[in-house]
Amino acid sequence: MSAFKPLVFSGVQPTGNLHLGNYLGAIKKFVALQEQSDCIYCVVDLHSLTAQLVYQDLGDQTRSITAAFLASGIDPKKHIVFNQSRVIQHAELAWIFNCVARIGWMYRMTQFKDKAGKDRENASLGLLAYPSLMAADILLYRATHVPVGEDQKQHLELTRDIAQKFNNDFSERIAALGVGVEMKIGEETVNGYFPITEPVIGGPAARIMSLRDGSKKMSKSDPSDLSRINLTDDADTISKKIRKAKTDPEALPSELDGLESRPEAENLVGIYAGLAEISKADVLKEYGGQQFSVFKPALADLAVEKLAPIASEMRRIEGDRAYVDAVLKDGGDRARAIAEGTMKTVRDIIGLLQD
């Protein structure tokens, strides 16, 4: 093998309604990436179990995320869209990676510290091992690139560490089986079966903050619905939420430096930039010196123009449950075919007996 085939992988948890932050930070990027790469997009329903084990509507939430993918423009015929639990190899590779990863690596994960809090001893083992499953999600398809937000960069670094350790530990075996790619790791050349996956980060609105508090990330779990724009919101609701978004009394600055120490202003400018696909600097060129009484209506009109059609299409697709299930089944079958090939080779590499 001479090189890894370029492939993009990413996943979204089916917990709560998707919002503007998910769209600008992830799904919009998914749509753009499919024009230049082979892509696999996954609804990571197994990951949702780290938040709670039993959901009354996990299946419907999975369908809703799928509908958002499709409504936003992801093509399930050219690319793969599926839910994680259809492909049992995710869990199998995660166990192997649990044995590759070090406990210290897991304890350093910021999200585990944040979610476990002071009651760490009562946190589930799944919450601690979550990044190992994420690594398995990515490397099961030997994905070369993953679009990630700022809060997932550390998990992708761990994915890279796991791939590097596996490649180092089994370099000779990988070479003997003829299934690897020569790669430089530091000063050493090893034969790697897994790529050292690269992050895809960027865009003017990679991190969207709450409409009520510019210091907090926009979140599904915020008790105030006014803190976020849901992808299912209609035009009137979108406009209302932007009108009520927290701001400060100053006019918008003409330069980016003027947004420092003004988190709400910076957030709204970033949202406009992300929706319009321009830079924050370009937004300020147009609206610098203007009051929010001018900027907010312009932002509301733009948000309605971009998001209301997605909401309408989501509702239409969600109403066709048989179609959504067929997309997930077809995607699951195609993903499983790739996963079975990967796991057969992994079992050969580590010496597990198999049929």
Side-chain angles (χ1 to χ4, degrees):
M1 184 182 302
S2 58
F4 295 104
K5 179 184 177 183
L7 178 70
V8 171
F9 178 93
S10 196
V12 174
Q13 283 198 45
T15 50
N17 290 329
L18 289 179
H19 52 68
L20 178 65
N22 301 126
Y23 176 69
L24 290 179
I27 297 175
K28 189 169 184 288
K29 195 177 297 181
F30 295 175
V31 175
L33 286 169
Q34 72 174 349
E35 300 303 322
Q36 57 198 28
S37 304
D38 289 336
C39 300
I40 298 178
Y41 294 131
C42 183
V43 184
V44 288
D45 46 2
L46 292 177
H47 280 293
S48 69
L49 304 184
T50 63
Q52 66 185 70
L53 191 57
V54 178
Y55 293 82
Q56 296 302 318
D57 60 346
L58 184 56
D60 285 339
Q61 289 192 53
T62 298
R63 294 184 183 96
S64 180
I65 301 298
T66 306
F69 285 171
L70 304 179
S72 299
I74 291 173
D75 187 337
K77 294 182 179 178
K78 293 182 180 178
H79 305 281
I80 294 176
V81 176
F82 76 110
N83 60 299
Q84 183 187 27
S85 61
R86 289 178 184 268
V87 182
I88 60 173
Q89 288 83 1
H90 284 257
E92 181 183 2
L93 186 58
W95 173 251
I96 292 170
F97 284 168
N98 283 345
C99 300
V100 173
R102 307 292 92 178
I103 290 176
W105 298 358
M106 299 300 184
Y107 276 124
R108 286 195 292 271
M109 295 293 106
T110 301
Q111 280 204 28
F112 173 72
K113 295 176 185 177
D114 291 345
K115 291 181 179 180
K118 295 181 179 179
D119 198 17
R120 187 178 299 184
E121 295 301 315
N122 283 326
S124 74
L125 181 58
L127 185 62
L128 179 64
Y130 167 100
S132 184
L133 178 57
M134 180 175 167
D137 298 336
I138 296 164
L139 296 175
L140 185 59
Y141 305 97
R142 301 207 291 170
T144 56
H145 294 84
V146 173
V148 293
E150 290 293 324
D151 58 341
Q152 291 291 336
K153 284 174 64 178
Q154 191 184 32
H155 287 169
L156 186 59
E157 284 298 325
L158 184 123
T159 297
R160 290 163 58 88
D161 289 341
I162 288 174
Q164 182 172 317
K165 189 173 190 308
F166 185 96
N167 291 341
N168 278 338
D169 290 350
F170 295 101
S171 178
E172 292 185 6
R173 179 71 173 165
I174 292 167
L177 291 170
V179 294
V181 172
E182 281 195 357
M183 58 176 64
K184 290 282 287 187
I185 297 180
E187 296 300 317
E188 187 178 359
T189 299
V190 302
N191 293 281
Y193 181 64
F194 292 117
I196 308 301
T197 308
E198 296 289 339
V200 180
I201 303 172
R207 184 175 176 86
I208 301 300
M209 312 307 283
S210 166
L211 297 179
R212 308 302 294 165
D213 182 350
S215 67
K216 296 180 180 179
K217 186 179 177 184
M218 188 175 284
S219 171
K220 307 171 189 175
S221 60
D222 192 305
S224 173
D225 193 54
L226 291 174
S227 70
R228 59 188 169 268
I229 296 174
N230 302 305
L231 286 191
T232 52
D233 286 344
D234 60 23
D236 288 343
T237 303
I238 292 170
S239 295
K240 172 187 172 184
K241 288 180 176 180
I242 291 176
R243 287 197 311 271
K244 289 181 173 292
K246 183 180 177 182
T247 55
D248 56 50
E250 302 296 324
L252 284 173
S254 298
E255 305 292 336
L256 286 174
D257 290 348
L259 292 175
E260 292 181 7
S261 302
R262 298 180 64 185
E264 284 80 22
E266 182 173 15
N267 188 40
L268 294 184
V269 169
I271 290 171
Y272 192 106
L275 289 170
E277 299 182 0
I278 60 177
S279 69
K280 292 181 183 179
D282 286 338
V283 177
L284 296 181
K285 284 180 183 177
E286 184 173 355
Y287 291 100
Q290 301 277 7
Q291 297 291 334
F292 282 102
S293 59
V294 174
F295 181 65
K296 278 186 174 181
L299 175 57
D301 288 346
L302 177 63
V304 168
E305 176 190 342
K306 299 291 185 180
L307 300 177
I310 295 174
S312 176
E313 182 66 1
M314 271 188 70
R315 288 190 287 270
R316 186 191 71 78
I317 293 172
E318 283 187 277
D320 191 347
R321 183 166 172 161
Y323 169 65
V324 176
D325 286 352
V327 167
L328 291 171
K329 181 182 184 305
D330 176 68
D333 291 344
R334 291 157 63 197
R336 193 179 308 110
I338 300 170
E340 286 173 349
T342 298
M343 288 312 305
K344 182 179 187 306
T345 302
V346 169
R347 294 184 206 113
D348 284 339
I349 290 168
I350 64 178
L352 295 172
L353 294 177
Q354 55 187 314
D355 293 334

